[in-house]
Every structure is written in structure tokens, then in C-alpha cells.
Amino acid sequence: MKGMKGQKVSVDRELCYGSAECVHRAPRVFEFVDGFGVVRPGHEEAGDAPEILEAAEKCPSQAISITITDAPSSPGGP
């Protein structure tokens, strides 16, 4: 499906100060490791989910980034 874009989510550990807001809002995608929020392995492409967008908006340190990729966010279907 040429032309489809995906959304990749990431957490900048330099900005994160460990509020755990991301884990509270989207525990399926984020976890708390060594005092910082991180994206669970295998969930990097979940950036278009509403709870991820909310977590990024509500992150007090603005450490969550959602970037557009050239790959669809769910290559196998819905």
C-alpha cells in the first residue's frame, strides 16, 4: 500500500523526569523502567492510537514524540 504513513512513538530519556503519566494513560504501550517511562518493545508503531496522543499531550516533561514514518502503523491489517 504505497503512500501510507505510520506513526512511531518514542520517549526522550533526556527530557523524561519520571512522572509516569504515560504509563498511567497507556499501560499497553508504555512502562516504567529505572525511573523513566519507555515504550514497550514491539509497540513503537502505536503512535496513532488515541491514548498515545493523549499521553504525548499530557506528558509534563514533553518527552514523548510521535513521528510520521513511511510504513503503515499496522501492516497486517486493522
Side-chain angles (χ1 to χ4, degrees):
M1 301 186 100
K2 192 173 182 179
M4 289 200 66
K5 303 284 184 189
Q7 295 184 12
K8 183 175 181 177
V9 63
S10 61
V11 177
D12 184 335
R13 284 189 69 150
E14 296 293 318
L15 295 175
C16 179
Y17 57 73
S19 72
E21 277 294 315
C22 57
V23 178
H24 171 72
R25 295 180 187 279
R28 177 181 62 85
V29 174
F30 298 101
E31 62 185 331
F32 208 56
V33 176
D34 297 329
F36 299 96
V38 297
V39 178
R40 290 180 181 273
H43 289 87
E44 297 85 0
E45 299 297 325
D48 58 351
E51 65 271 18
I52 306 310
L53 299 174
E54 180 180 348
E57 289 173 5
K58 304 291 185 183
C59 177
S61 63
Q62 298 298 294
I64 300 172
S65 297
I66 298 172
T67 55
I68 305 299
T69 65
D70 289 330
S73 58
S74 53

